[in-house]
Amino acid sequence: MDLSRDPDFFAVLTGSHRRRLGAALVPEGADAVWLYEQAPFVVLAHDGGADPRFVYANRAAQACFGYGRDELVGLPSRLSADQRQRAERQRLLDAVVRDGFTRGYRGLRIAKGGRRFWIEQAVVWQLDRDGVSVGQAATFSAWRDA
């Protein structure tokens, strides 16, 4: 299912962000198309499975990670982290489950071609639909090569 421009998934992303962090994810008047196509920041989301898979990656995320949408969506999200960093990443995800969100996260990630880069000042939050957890999302606008 393509969630790229889906208004219901946009409502889950933005509503969960507002409830968890008390702030808007997108500027007033922005919609699902804007977030996917034009947002100047990365937004990724994965499902709530035992080995979570990406279900959403806006164009900024695709450019950052070097994957097309069809390659990134469905990819186990653990593969976006350097293998040596996966335990740290799991601690982060567990903390988000416990606390609902985290701010200021910094972590080493891997792009499609093997390029390693640091994400800076990331926000990660728990996604919910009608009070039921459906995964997690992350946003960041700063990254640099490792």
Side-chain angles (χ1 to χ4, degrees):
M1 184 171 173
D2 184 357
L3 301 176
S4 304
R5 298 169 187 86
D6 183 274
D8 293 329
F9 190 71
F10 174 79
V12 169
L13 279 171
T14 58
S16 296
H17 188 277
R18 181 171 293 283
R19 282 189 300 283
R20 302 286 183 181
L21 288 110
L25 174 63
V26 299
E28 188 172 333
D31 62 7
V33 173
W34 181 88
L35 182 61
Y36 179 73
E37 294 181 3
Q38 299 173 359
F41 50 88
V42 168
V43 177
L44 293 157
H46 65 216
D47 64 22
D51 187 12
R53 294 179 177 273
F54 287 120
V55 295
Y56 180 86
N58 70 355
R59 289 221 172 122
Q62 294 167 41
C64 178
F65 283 88
Y67 288 96
R69 189 196 71 79
D70 291 340
E71 296 172 300
L72 196 49
V73 170
L75 184 74
S77 61
R78 67 181 155 74
L79 298 179
S80 69
D82 183 276
Q83 188 159 353
R84 296 171 302 232
Q85 299 288 315
R86 289 183 189 161
E88 174 201 337
R89 178 187 164 276
Q90 189 58 53
R91 284 191 294 279
L92 163 75
L93 299 180
D94 293 343
V96 170
V97 168
R98 183 188 67 234
D99 301 334
F101 72 93
T102 191
R103 297 178 202 237
Y105 174 74
R106 179 178 188 259
L108 188 62
R109 293 296 177 265
I110 302 173
K112 179 181 177 182
R115 175 182 56 87
R116 282 157 171 68
F117 62 96
W118 290 99
I119 60 172
E120 309 278 351
Q121 297 299 312
V123 174
V124 184
W125 70 101
Q126 197 70 24
L127 296 175
D128 64 271
R129 179 179 280 129
D130 301 323
V132 175
S133 177
V134 295
Q136 295 179 340
T139 186
F140 56 92
S141 57
W143 62 90
R144 62 179 177 79
D145 286 345

